[in-house]
Coordinates of all heavy atoms in Angstrom, one line a residue:
M28 N 87.5 74.4 94.8 CA 87.2 74.0 93.5 C 86.6 75.2 92.7 O 87.0 75.4 91.5 CB 86.3 72.8 93.5 CG 86.0 72.2 92.2 SD 87.5 71.5 91.5 CE 86.9 70.8 90.0
T29 N 85.6 75.8 93.3 CA 85.0 77.0 92.6 C 86.0 78.1 92.3 O 85.9 78.7 91.3 CB 83.8 77.5 93.3 OG1 84.2 77.9 94.6 CG2 82.7 76.5 93.4
K30 N 87.0 78.3 93.2 CA 88.0 79.3 93.0 C 88.8 79.0 91.8 O 89.1 79.8 91.0 CB 88.8 79.4 94.3 CG 89.9 80.5 94.2 CD 90.7 80.6 95.5 CE 91.7 81.7 95.3 NZ 92.5 81.8 96.5
L31 N 89.2 77.6 91.7 CA 90.0 77.2 90.6 C 89.3 77.4 89.2 O 89.8 77.9 88.3 CB 90.4 75.7 90.7 CG 91.2 75.1 89.7 CD1 92.5 75.8 89.5 CD2 91.4 73.7 89.9
L32 N 88.0 77.0 89.2 CA 87.1 77.2 88.0 C 87.0 78.6 87.7 O 87.0 79.0 86.5 CB 85.7 76.6 88.2 CG 85.7 75.0 88.3 CD1 84.3 74.5 88.6 CD2 86.2 74.4 87.0
G33 N 86.8 79.5 88.7 CA 86.7 80.9 88.4 C 88.0 81.5 87.8 O 88.0 82.3 86.9
A34 N 89.1 81.1 88.3 CA 90.4 81.5 87.8 C 90.7 81.1 86.5 O 91.1 81.8 85.6 CB 91.6 81.0 88.8
V35 N 90.3 79.8 86.1 CA 90.4 79.3 84.8 C 89.5 80.1 83.8 O 90.0 80.4 82.7 CB 90.1 77.8 84.7 CG1 90.0 77.3 83.3 CG2 91.2 77.0 85.5
A36 N 88.3 80.3 84.2 CA 87.4 81.1 83.4 C 87.9 82.5 83.1 O 87.8 83.0 82.0 CB 86.0 81.1 84.0
I37 N 88.4 83.1 84.1 CA 88.9 84.4 84.0 C 90.1 84.5 83.1 O 90.3 85.3 82.2 CB 89.3 85.1 85.3 CG1 88.0 85.3 86.1 CG2 90.2 86.3 85.2 CD1 88.2 85.6 87.6
A38 N 91.0 83.5 83.3 CA 92.2 83.4 82.4 C 91.8 83.2 80.9 O 92.4 83.7 80.0 CB 93.1 82.2 82.8
A39 N 90.8 82.4 80.7 CA 90.3 82.2 79.3 C 89.8 83.5 78.7 O 90.1 83.7 77.5 CB 89.2 81.1 79.2
V40 N 89.1 84.3 79.4 CA 88.6 85.6 78.9 C 89.8 86.5 78.6 O 89.8 87.1 77.6 CB 87.6 86.2 79.9 CG1 87.3 87.7 79.5 CG2 86.3 85.4 80.0
V41 N 90.7 86.6 79.6 CA 91.8 87.5 79.4 C 92.7 87.1 78.2 O 93.1 88.0 77.4 CB 92.6 87.6 80.7 CG1 94.0 88.3 80.5 CG2 91.9 88.2 81.8
F42 N 93.0 85.8 78.0 CA 93.8 85.4 76.9 C 93.0 85.5 75.6 O 93.6 85.5 74.5 CB 94.3 84.1 77.1 CG 95.4 84.0 78.2 CD1 95.3 83.3 79.4 CD2 96.6 84.8 78.0 CE1 96.2 83.3 80.3 CE2 97.6 84.8 78.9 CZ 97.4 84.1 80.2
A43 N 91.6 85.5 75.6 CA 90.9 85.6 74.4 C 90.9 87.0 73.8 O 90.7 87.2 72.7 CB 89.5 85.1 74.6
L44 N 91.2 88.0 74.6 CA 91.2 89.4 74.2 C 92.5 89.8 73.7 O 93.5 89.4 74.2 CB 90.8 90.4 75.4 CG 89.5 90.1 76.0 CD1 89.4 91.0 77.2 CD2 88.4 90.5 75.1
P45 N 92.6 90.6 72.6 CA 93.8 91.2 72.2 C 94.5 92.0 73.3 O 93.8 92.5 74.1 CB 93.5 92.1 71.0 CG 92.1 91.8 70.6 CD 91.4 91.1 71.8
P46 N 95.8 92.0 73.4 CA 96.5 92.7 74.5 C 96.0 94.2 74.8 O 95.8 94.6 75.9 CB 97.9 92.7 74.1 CG 98.1 91.5 73.2 CD 96.7 91.4 72.5
A47 N 95.8 95.0 73.8 CA 95.4 96.4 73.8 C 94.0 96.4 74.5 O 93.8 97.2 75.4 CB 95.4 97.1 72.5
E48 N 93.1 95.5 74.1 CA 91.8 95.5 74.6 C 91.8 95.1 76.0 O 91.0 95.6 76.8 CB 90.9 94.6 73.7 CG 89.5 94.6 74.1 CD 88.7 95.9 73.9 OE1 89.1 96.7 73.1 OE2 87.6 96.0 74.6
A49 N 92.6 94.1 76.3 CA 92.6 93.6 77.7 C 93.2 94.7 78.7 O 92.7 94.9 79.8 CB 93.5 92.3 77.9
A50 N 94.1 95.5 78.2 CA 94.7 96.5 79.1 C 93.7 97.6 79.2 O 93.5 98.1 80.3 CB 95.9 97.1 78.3
K51 N 92.9 97.9 78.2 CA 91.9 98.9 78.3 C 90.8 98.5 79.3 O 90.3 99.3 80.2 CB 91.2 99.2 76.9 CG 90.2 100.3 77.0 CD 89.8 100.7 75.6 CE 88.5 99.9 75.2 NZ 87.9 100.2 73.9
R52 N 90.4 97.2 79.2 CA 89.3 96.7 80.1 C 89.8 96.6 81.5 O 89.0 96.9 82.5 CB 88.8 95.3 79.6 CG 88.1 95.5 78.3 CD 87.6 94.1 77.8 NE 86.8 94.2 76.7 CZ 85.6 93.9 76.6 NH1 84.9 93.4 77.6 NH2 84.9 94.0 75.5
S53 N 91.0 96.2 81.8 CA 91.5 96.0 83.2 C 91.7 97.3 83.9 O 91.8 97.4 85.1 CB 92.7 95.1 83.2 OG 93.8 95.8 82.6
A54 N 91.8 98.5 83.1 CA 92.0 99.7 83.7 C 90.9 100.2 84.6 O 91.0 101.0 85.5 CB 92.2 100.8 82.6
G55 N 89.7 99.5 84.4 CA 88.5 99.9 85.2 C 88.5 99.3 86.7 O 87.6 99.5 87.4
G56 N 89.6 98.5 87.1 CA 89.6 97.9 88.3 C 89.2 96.6 88.4 O 89.4 95.8 89.4
C57 N 88.5 96.0 87.4 CA 88.1 94.7 87.4 C 89.1 93.8 86.6 O 89.1 93.8 85.4 CB 86.7 94.5 86.7 SG 86.0 92.9 86.8
S58 N 90.0 93.2 87.4 CA 91.1 92.3 86.8 C 91.1 91.0 87.5 O 90.7 90.9 88.7 CB 92.4 93.0 86.8 OG 92.9 93.2 88.2
S59 N 91.8 90.0 86.9 CA 91.9 88.7 87.6 C 92.7 88.9 88.9 O 92.5 88.2 89.8 CB 92.5 87.7 86.7 OG 93.8 88.1 86.1
A60 N 93.7 89.8 88.8 CA 94.6 90.0 90.0 C 93.7 90.6 91.1 O 93.9 90.1 92.3 CB 95.7 91.0 89.6
N61 N 92.9 91.5 90.8 CA 92.0 92.1 91.9 C 91.0 91.1 92.4 O 90.7 91.1 93.6 CB 91.3 93.4 91.4 CG 92.3 94.6 91.2 OD1 93.3 94.6 91.8 ND2 91.8 95.6 90.5
L62 N 90.5 90.3 91.5 CA 89.5 89.3 91.9 C 90.2 88.3 92.9 O 89.7 87.9 93.9 CB 89.0 88.6 90.7 CG 87.9 89.3 90.0 CD1 87.5 88.6 88.6 CD2 86.6 89.3 90.8
E63 N 91.4 87.9 92.5 CA 92.1 86.9 93.4 C 92.5 87.4 94.7 O 92.3 86.8 95.8 CB 93.5 86.4 92.7 CG 93.2 85.4 91.6 CD 94.6 84.9 91.0 OE1 95.5 84.6 91.8 OE2 94.7 84.8 89.8
K64 N 93.0 88.7 94.7 CA 93.3 89.4 96.0 C 92.1 89.5 96.9 O 92.1 89.2 98.1 CB 93.8 90.8 95.7 CG 94.4 91.5 96.9 CD 95.1 92.8 96.4 CE 94.3 94.0 96.8 NZ 95.0 95.2 96.5
T65 N 90.9 89.9 96.3 CA 89.7 90.0 97.1 C 89.2 88.6 97.6 O 88.8 88.4 98.7 CB 88.6 90.6 96.3 OG1 89.1 91.9 95.8 CG2 87.4 90.9 97.1
E66 N 89.2 87.6 96.7 CA 88.9 86.2 97.1 C 89.7 85.8 98.3 O 89.2 85.1 99.2 CB 89.1 85.2 96.0 CG 88.0 85.3 94.9 CD 88.1 84.4 93.8 OE1 89.3 83.9 93.6 OE2 87.2 84.1 93.1
T67 N 91.0 86.1 98.3 CA 91.9 85.6 99.4 C 91.5 86.3 100.7 O 91.5 85.7 101.7 CB 93.4 85.9 99.0 OG1 93.7 85.3 97.9 CG2 94.3 85.5 100.1
A68 N 91.2 87.6 100.5 CA 90.7 88.3 101.8 C 89.4 87.7 102.3 O 89.3 87.6 103.6 CB 90.6 89.8 101.5
I69 N 88.6 87.4 101.5 CA 87.3 86.8 101.8 C 87.5 85.5 102.5 O 86.8 85.1 103.5 CB 86.3 86.8 100.6 CG1 85.9 88.1 100.1 CG2 85.1 85.9 101.0 CD1 85.2 88.1 98.9
E70 N 88.4 84.7 101.9 CA 88.6 83.3 102.6 C 89.1 83.4 104.0 O 88.8 82.6 104.8 CB 89.6 82.5 101.7 CG 89.0 82.1 100.4 CD 90.1 81.3 99.6 OE1 91.2 81.1 100.0 OE2 89.7 81.0 98.4
N71 N 89.8 84.5 104.2 CA 90.5 84.7 105.6 C 89.4 85.4 106.6 O 89.8 85.4 107.8 CB 91.7 85.5 105.5 CG 92.8 84.7 104.8 OD1 92.9 83.5 104.8 ND2 93.6 85.5 104.0
M72 N 88.3 85.7 106.2 CA 87.3 86.3 107.0 C 86.6 85.3 107.9 O 86.6 84.1 107.6 CB 86.2 87.0 106.2 CG 86.6 88.2 105.4 SD 85.3 88.8 104.4 CE 84.1 89.4 105.6
A73 N 86.3 85.8 109.1 CA 85.5 84.9 109.9 C 84.1 84.7 109.4 O 83.5 85.6 108.6 CB 85.3 85.6 111.4
D74 N 83.5 83.5 109.6 CA 82.2 83.3 109.1 C 81.2 84.3 109.6 O 81.3 84.6 110.8 CB 81.7 81.9 109.4 CG 82.5 80.8 108.6 OD1 83.1 81.2 107.6 OD2 82.5 79.6 109.1
G75 N 80.2 84.7 108.8 CA 79.3 85.6 109.2 C 78.6 86.3 108.1 O 78.8 85.9 106.9
D76 N 77.7 87.2 108.4 CA 77.0 88.0 107.3 C 77.8 88.7 106.3 O 77.6 88.7 105.1 CB 76.0 88.9 107.9 CG 74.8 88.2 108.7 OD1 74.6 87.0 108.4 OD2 74.2 88.9 109.5
S77 N 78.9 89.3 106.8 CA 79.8 90.1 105.9 C 80.5 89.1 105.0 O 80.6 89.5 103.8 CB 80.9 90.8 106.8 OG 80.3 91.9 107.5
K78 N 80.9 88.0 105.4 CA 81.5 87.0 104.6 C 80.6 86.5 103.5 O 80.9 86.4 102.3 CB 82.1 85.9 105.3 CG 82.9 84.8 104.5 CD 83.6 83.8 105.4 CE 84.5 82.9 104.4 NZ 85.3 82.0 105.3
L79 N 79.3 86.3 103.9 CA 78.3 85.8 102.9 C 78.0 86.8 101.8 O 78.0 86.5 100.6 CB 77.0 85.4 103.7 CG 75.9 84.9 102.8 CD1 76.3 83.6 102.1 CD2 74.7 84.6 103.6
V80 N 78.0 88.1 102.2 CA 77.7 89.1 101.3 C 78.9 89.3 100.3 O 78.8 89.5 99.2 CB 77.5 90.5 102.0 CG1 77.6 91.7 101.1 CG2 76.2 90.5 102.8
A81 N 80.2 89.2 100.9 CA 81.4 89.3 100.1 C 81.4 88.2 99.1 O 81.8 88.4 97.9 CB 82.6 89.4 101.0
Q82 N 81.0 87.0 99.5 CA 81.1 85.8 98.6 C 80.1 86.0 97.4 O 80.4 85.7 96.3 CB 80.8 84.6 99.3 CG 81.9 84.2 100.3 CD 81.6 83.0 101.2 OE1 80.5 82.8 101.6 NE2 82.6 82.1 101.5
K83 N 79.0 86.5 97.8 CA 78.0 86.7 96.7 C 78.4 87.8 95.7 O 78.2 87.7 94.5 CB 76.6 87.2 97.3 CG 75.9 86.0 98.0 CD 74.6 86.4 98.6 CE 73.9 85.2 99.3 NZ 72.5 85.7 99.8
E84 N 79.0 88.9 96.2 CA 79.5 89.9 95.4 C 80.6 89.5 94.5 O 80.7 89.8 93.3 CB 79.9 91.2 96.2 CG 78.8 91.9 96.8 CD 77.8 92.5 95.9 OE1 78.1 92.8 94.7 OE2 76.6 92.8 96.3
I85 N 81.6 88.7 95.0 CA 82.7 88.2 94.2 C 82.2 87.3 93.1 O 82.6 87.2 92.0 CB 83.8 87.5 95.1 CG1 85.1 87.5 94.3 CG2 83.5 86.1 95.4 CD1 85.8 88.8 94.2
A86 N 81.1 86.5 93.4 CA 80.6 85.6 92.4 C 79.9 86.4 91.3 O 80.0 86.1 90.1 CB 79.5 84.6 93.0
A87 N 79.2 87.5 91.7 CA 78.5 88.4 90.7 C 79.6 89.1 89.9 O 79.4 89.3 88.7 CB 77.7 89.4 91.4
A88 N 80.7 89.5 90.5 CA 81.8 90.1 89.8 C 82.4 89.2 88.7 O 82.6 89.5 87.6 CB 82.9 90.6 90.7
Q89 N 82.6 88.0 89.1 CA 83.2 86.9 88.1 C 82.2 86.7 87.0 O 82.6 86.6 85.8 CB 83.4 85.6 88.8 CG 84.6 85.7 89.8 CD 84.7 84.4 90.6 OE1 83.8 83.6 90.8 NE2 85.9 84.2 91.1
D90 N 80.9 86.7 87.3 CA 79.9 86.5 86.2 C 79.9 87.6 85.3 O 79.8 87.4 84.1 CB 78.5 86.3 86.8 CG 77.5 86.0 85.9 OD1 77.6 85.0 85.1 OD2 76.4 86.7 85.9
S91 N 80.0 88.9 85.8 CA 80.0 90.0 85.0 C 81.2 90.1 84.2 O 81.2 90.4 83.0 CB 79.9 91.4 85.9 OG 78.7 91.4 86.6
L92 N 82.4 89.7 84.7 CA 83.6 89.7 83.9 C 83.5 88.7 82.8 O 83.8 89.1 81.7 CB 84.8 89.3 84.8 CG 86.1 89.2 84.1 CD1 86.6 90.6 83.5 CD2 87.2 88.7 85.1
L93 N 83.0 87.5 83.0 CA 82.8 86.5 82.0 C 81.8 87.0 80.8 O 82.0 86.6 79.8 CB 82.4 85.2 82.5 CG 83.4 84.6 83.5 CD1 82.9 83.3 84.1 CD2 84.6 84.2 82.6
N94 N 80.9 87.8 81.2 CA 79.9 88.3 80.3 C 80.3 89.6 79.7 O 79.5 90.2 78.9 CB 78.5 88.4 80.9 CG 77.9 87.1 81.2 OD1 78.0 86.2 80.4 ND2 77.4 86.9 82.4
G95 N 81.5 90.1 80.0 CA 82.0 91.3 79.3 C 81.4 92.6 79.9 O 81.5 93.7 79.3
K96 N 80.8 92.6 81.1 CA 80.2 93.7 81.7 C 81.2 94.3 82.7 O 81.1 94.1 83.9 CB 78.9 93.4 82.3 CG 77.9 92.8 81.4 CD 76.6 92.3 82.1 CE 75.6 91.8 81.1 NZ 74.4 91.2 81.7
M97 N 82.1 95.1 82.2 CA 83.3 95.4 83.0 C 82.8 96.5 84.1 O 83.4 96.4 85.3 CB 84.3 96.1 82.2 CG 84.9 95.1 81.1 SD 85.3 93.5 81.9 CE 86.8 94.0 82.7
S98 N 81.9 97.4 83.9 CA 81.5 98.3 84.9 C 80.8 97.6 86.1 O 80.9 97.9 87.2 CB 80.8 99.5 84.3 OG 79.4 99.2 84.1
A99 N 79.9 96.6 85.7 CA 79.2 95.9 86.7 C 80.2 95.0 87.5 O 80.1 94.9 88.7 CB 78.1 95.0 86.0
C100 N 81.2 94.5 86.9 CA 82.2 93.7 87.4 C 82.9 94.6 88.5 O 83.1 94.1 89.7 CB 83.2 93.2 86.4 SG 84.6 92.2 87.2
G101 N 83.3 95.7 88.1 CA 84.0 96.7 89.0 C 83.1 97.1 90.2 O 83.6 97.1 91.3
A102 N 81.9 97.2 89.9 CA 81.0 97.6 91.0 C 80.8 96.5 92.1 O 80.9 96.7 93.3 CB 79.6 98.0 90.5
H103 N 80.6 95.3 91.6 CA 80.5 94.1 92.4 C 81.8 93.8 93.2 O 81.8 93.5 94.3 CB 80.1 92.8 91.7 CG 78.7 92.8 91.2 ND1 77.7 92.8 92.1 CD2 78.2 92.9 90.0 CE1 76.5 92.9 91.3 NE2 76.9 92.9 90.1
L104 N 82.9 94.0 92.5 CA 84.3 93.8 93.1 C 84.4 94.8 94.2 O 85.0 94.5 95.3 CB 85.4 93.9 92.1 CG 86.8 93.6 92.6 CD1 86.8 92.2 93.1 CD2 87.7 93.7 91.4
N105 N 84.1 96.1 94.0 CA 84.2 97.1 95.0 C 83.4 96.8 96.2 O 83.8 96.9 97.3 CB 83.8 98.5 94.4 CG 84.0 99.6 95.3 OD1 85.0 99.6 96.1 ND2 83.1 100.6 95.3
K106 N 82.1 96.3 96.0 CA 81.3 95.9 97.1 C 81.9 94.8 97.9 O 81.8 94.7 99.1 CB 79.9 95.5 96.7 CG 79.1 96.8 96.1 CD 77.7 96.3 95.7 CE 77.0 97.5 95.0 NZ 75.7 97.0 94.5
A107 N 82.5 93.8 97.2 CA 83.1 92.6 97.8 C 84.3 93.1 98.7 O 84.5 92.7 99.8 CB 83.6 91.6 96.8
M108 N 85.1 94.1 98.1 CA 86.2 94.6 98.9 C 85.7 95.4 100.2 O 86.4 95.1 101.3 CB 87.0 95.5 98.0 CG 87.9 94.9 97.0 SD 88.7 96.1 96.1 CE 89.3 95.3 94.6
Q109 N 84.7 96.0 100.1 CA 84.2 96.8 101.2 C 83.6 95.8 102.3 O 83.9 96.1 103.5 CB 83.0 97.8 100.8 CG 83.5 98.9 100.0 CD 82.5 99.8 99.5 OE1 81.2 99.5 99.6 NE2 82.8 101.0 98.9
A110 N 83.0 94.8 101.9 CA 82.4 93.8 102.8 C 83.6 93.0 103.5 O 83.6 92.7 104.7 CB 81.6 92.8 102.1
S111 N 84.7 92.8 102.7 CA 85.8 92.0 103.3 C 86.6 93.0 104.3 O 87.2 92.5 105.2 CB 86.7 91.5 102.3 OG 87.5 92.5 101.6
A112 N 86.5 94.3 104.0 CA 87.2 95.2 105.0 C 86.4 95.4 106.2 O 87.0 95.9 107.2 CB 87.4 96.5 104.2
A113 N 85.1 95.1 106.2 CA 84.2 95.3 107.3 C 84.2 94.1 108.3 O 83.3 94.0 109.1 CB 82.8 95.6 106.9
K114 N 85.2 93.3 108.2 CA 85.3 92.2 109.1 C 84.8 92.4 110.5 O 84.3 91.7 111.2 CB 86.8 91.7 109.2 CG 87.5 91.3 108.0 CD 89.0 91.0 108.3 CE 89.7 90.8 107.0 NZ 91.1 90.5 107.2

């Protein structure tokens, strides 16, 4: 349910921006596609500390994206990707 709400919120932000602005913002690595890909990797992780860290980072990335803090979003997304790779 939270994944669906996150995806809907991200879509609302992306569609609210003019196309040129959206392209400029997504160039920093924080995009709905990257968030979805990372969320999928996290869901497939075994339960443990790494998964908990990754889930917290993805939530922080989504919050940053919704608040227009693209560099913070990218940093949190990067940390979530690293945690999911450390299975």
Side-chain angles (χ1 to χ4, degrees):
M28 184 66 177
T29 57
K30 183 177 178 181
L31 178 63
L32 289 175
V35 169
I37 291 168
V40 170
V41 171
F42 287 115
L44 298 173
E48 183 68 16
K51 183 173 96 176
R52 288 178 181 246
S53 67
C57 186
S58 68
S59 59
N61 286 343
L62 281 168
E63 282 185 47
K64 186 170 111 177
T65 306
E66 283 178 338
T67 301
I69 292 168
E70 287 176 6
N71 294 327
M72 290 175 68
D74 290 340
D76 291 339
S77 294
K78 185 172 183 173
L79 183 62
V80 169
Q82 288 172 329
K83 287 181 181 181
E84 290 296 339
I85 201 73
Q89 289 173 340
D90 185 54
S91 295
L92 178 63
L93 293 174
N94 289 313
K96 298 176 181 175
M97 300 309 287
S98 78
C100 176
H103 288 297
L104 186 58
N105 187 34
K106 289 178 185 176
M108 286 181 193
Q109 288 175 353
S111 68
K114 298 178 190 180

